[in-house]
Amino acid sequence: MFGFWSCNVKLYDTEKSVEDQSDGCGAKFSVVVVAETFCGKPLLQRHRLVNAALQEELKEIHAFSMKTLTPEQWQQQQQQ
C-alpha cells in the first residue's frame, strides 16, 4: 500500500518510517516524517503537507497517524 514512499512523495527532502498497525489488513498506519521542508512551519501546516502528498492513498485506509519533525527535532529525539 505505501509503496508511494519510494518514488511519489512530494516532500523531496524527506526521510520517513511507516508502521502497519493493522495486523495485516493494511487499513491502519502510523508514520514518522522528517523533512527540511518542515523547518519554520507549525504542526498543522506540516500535517497538511503530508496529507496533500498522500491524498489518494489516504482514501483507502481506515486510520492514519503521523509525527512530523524537522531534522533537528529528529536528532534531539534520537539523543534522548
Side-chain angles (χ1 to χ4, degrees):
M1 164 97 200
F2 277 90
F4 63 86
W5 281 117
S6 60
C7 60
N8 232 4
V9 174
K10 297 169 186 149
L11 301 170
Y12 299 108
D13 58 345
T14 305
E15 291 185 37
K16 56 271 173 192
S17 166
V18 179
E19 182 182 348
D20 182 347
Q21 298 178 325
S22 63
D23 296 324
C25 73
K28 182 179 179 184
F29 292 90
S30 176
V31 301
V32 176
V33 184
V34 180
E36 287 284 340
T37 306
F38 297 150
C39 291
K41 291 183 173 57
L43 184 62
L44 183 58
Q45 191 172 3
R46 295 175 187 191
H47 285 202
R48 286 179 177 160
L49 286 168
V50 173
N51 285 335
L54 305 178
Q55 80 182 30
E56 289 303 312
E57 290 81 6
L58 292 176
K59 291 177 184 177
E60 300 177 24
I61 64 173
H62 172 72
F64 180 75
S65 65
M66 73 177 98
K67 188 172 200 175
T68 54
L69 303 167
T70 65
E72 183 179 310
Q73 290 170 324
W74 173 254
Q75 227 173 22
Q76 288 172 351
Q77 275 196 357
Q78 299 308 303
Q79 293 173 355
Q80 294 178 2

